[in-house]
Amino acid sequence: MLERWFADGVVPGAVALVAREGQIEAAAVGELDRESPVRIASVGKPVTAALVLQLVDDGVLALDDPVERWLPELADRRVVRTPGAPVTDTVPAVRPFTVRDVLESRAGYGFPADFTLPALAPLVAELGQGPPQPQRVAPPDEWTATLAGIPMLHQPGEAWLYNTCSDLQGVLAARATGQPLEHLLAERLFEPLGMPDTGFHAPPGSLSPLYRPGPDGTLMVADPPDGQWSTPPPFPSGAGGLVSTLDDVFTFLRMLRSGGRVKDGRRVLSPHAVRLMTTDHLSDRQRADSKLFLAGQGWGYGGSVDVARREPWNVPGRYGWVGGTGTAAHVVRSTGLVTVLLTQREMTDPTPPPLMREFWRYAAGG
């Protein structure tokens, strides 16, 4: 399957893994192999959520704590009067948003289905939200101060909104512990799990290019090997800044499949934390309003949760997410299935591209 998409020029390289019933099948083509570091983009969102839940497990954070306790810049929030109102027409937030709101992506900040709403403009222009650009985003304290000047799109808990809450999770974890996000992730997740090739930048010369399809389908280099992921970023993005490898991503998903344990039996997440991550928390209305991103499925902490059998691969409880750099990673805890697909061809919209969908169909046995 991968060979055909490579031969047709759809992807310059791809690497994939399917693990089921004790068997692991992996394949690679073109510029990528099993050891290649890859910009995983939003596939890193579950990793950030797992870190925050570790801090909840350890009592550093509590789910119903107001985030302003650690990020006082975000106290006394203002919300646009209606989603379509100008950013100058605001009302007070009815309550502070909490750690739970941020984990559920319902804190009031982020992308809805309608990208024309006025309150989104400063998220993009001033905060750098959108496709990952790690070297062009301000450091965490400056980023948070900028966010404080942007009104929320919805009241806390009212709507599911994409992306910004995952960055907030990373900023919150760092502020609550007094440690940089990159150090926290290495100490609490990457080292215990055995994910040596995951971080916010890659060794010089190790990355392949990131490609972007033009209007006629021709691939152009969007980020060269010595580009934005080749040096430590000023803002380590919990929403989409990580570089990883096929086996490191598989290792993380295997931990979730095992209920929070690493391969040797040590626990890094409580069973309760894993359940929270992999359970849908959205209302029917919120799922319907988020169809552009979620295609009718739900959202746990850091990733989608399948609730409807719309396609052969949609198994209720299937958890994971896709990245705008052409990446996808999922686990079905009830069956033990784990799937990982890594390319470096940017997606042009939130809809999974044909290669991704064919890979999922193959993994589902179709």
Side-chain angles (χ1 to χ4, degrees):
M1 180 188 67
L2 295 184
E3 288 283 0
R4 174 164 41 83
W5 288 97
F6 171 65
D8 290 345
V10 174
V11 288
V15 59
L17 178 148
V18 177
R20 60 162 78 86
E21 299 176 352
Q23 301 296 315
I24 298 175
E25 180 183 4
V29 294
E31 295 180 357
L32 299 181
D33 59 36
R34 197 160 176 167
E35 290 76 37
S36 297
V38 171
R39 308 160 187 81
I40 62 172
S42 291
V43 163
K45 283 179 166 67
V47 176
T48 308
L51 172 66
V52 174
L53 282 168
Q54 274 194 333
L55 298 178
V56 173
D57 280 346
D58 292 350
V60 177
L61 302 171
L63 290 175
D64 294 319
D65 283 344
V67 169
E68 65 187 44
R69 175 179 170 186
W70 295 276
L71 301 176
E73 305 97 315
L74 301 181
D76 303 320
R77 293 291 75 218
R78 304 288 297 183
V79 186
V80 289
R81 189 177 301 276
T82 66
V87 295
T88 53
D89 183 11
T90 64
V91 297
V94 297
R95 64 171 175 83
F97 61 83
T98 65
V99 175
R100 188 190 306 272
D101 292 323
V102 172
L103 281 166
E104 293 174 356
S105 289
R106 297 194 291 194
Y109 284 113
F111 293 115
D114 185 353
F115 283 76
T116 68
L117 299 177
L120 296 190
L123 284 182
V124 176
E126 300 176 27
L127 212 63
Q129 291 288 285
Q133 43 184 356
Q135 299 298 332
R136 298 173 184 166
V137 180
D141 287 350
E142 184 179 338
W143 184 93
T144 306
T146 301
L147 180 64
I150 299 173
M152 295 158 61
L153 183 62
H154 286 278
Q155 292 285 350
E158 186 177 90
W160 182 88
L161 299 169
Y162 187 55
N163 200 69
T164 308
C165 280
S166 290
D167 275 334
L168 262 175
Q169 290 168 32
V171 173
L172 171 63
R175 188 75 70 85
T177 59
Q179 297 185 60
L181 179 59
E182 57 270 32
H183 295 172
L184 276 176
L185 286 169
E187 178 184 304
R188 285 179 160 268
L189 282 174
F190 302 154
E191 291 172 8
L193 285 171
M195 297 170 61
D197 299 313
T198 303
F200 287 103
H201 70 287
S206 63
L207 281 170
S208 64
L210 175 66
Y211 296 91
R212 177 178 299 142
D216 62 352
T218 302
L219 296 180
M220 304 172 290
V221 173
D223 186 69
D226 60 351
Q228 294 205 53
W229 280 266
S230 62
T231 56
F235 183 85
S237 171
L242 286 175
V243 170
S244 192
T245 61
L246 183 76
D247 285 295
D248 277 13
V249 175
F250 172 53
T251 295
F252 178 79
L253 294 177
R254 186 174 57 197
M255 177 273 292
L256 295 180
R257 184 179 66 180
S258 300
R261 295 186 183 276
V262 299
K263 196 171 183 181
D264 64 8
R266 289 176 296 133
R267 182 170 294 286
V268 296
L269 273 181
S270 69
H272 179 61
V274 174
R275 283 194 298 272
L276 285 172
M277 277 190 74
T278 58
T279 297
D280 174 37
H281 299 283
L282 303 188
S283 67
D284 291 344
R285 173 63 182 272
Q286 289 167 342
R287 284 194 295 272
D289 289 345
S290 307
K291 193 170 291 186
L292 174 68
F293 295 99
L294 301 180
Q297 305 299 343
W299 187 260
Y301 289 174
S304 66
V305 180
D306 285 2
V307 296
R309 295 183 180 272
R310 297 176 180 271
E311 300 283 357
W313 54 83
N314 292 136
V315 177
R318 174 178 176 260
Y319 170 85
W321 197 226
V322 300
T325 51
T327 57
H330 293 81
V331 58
V332 183
R333 295 189 62 221
S334 60
T335 66
L337 177 67
V338 174
T339 63
V340 183
L341 172 67
L342 305 178
T343 78
Q344 291 290 260
R345 176 193 167 115
E346 285 188 346
M347 294 169 57
T348 56
D349 59 51
T351 303
L355 167 58
M356 206 172 278
R357 295 169 63 86
E358 183 177 345
F359 170 68
W360 290 337
R361 181 174 282 106
Y362 170 82

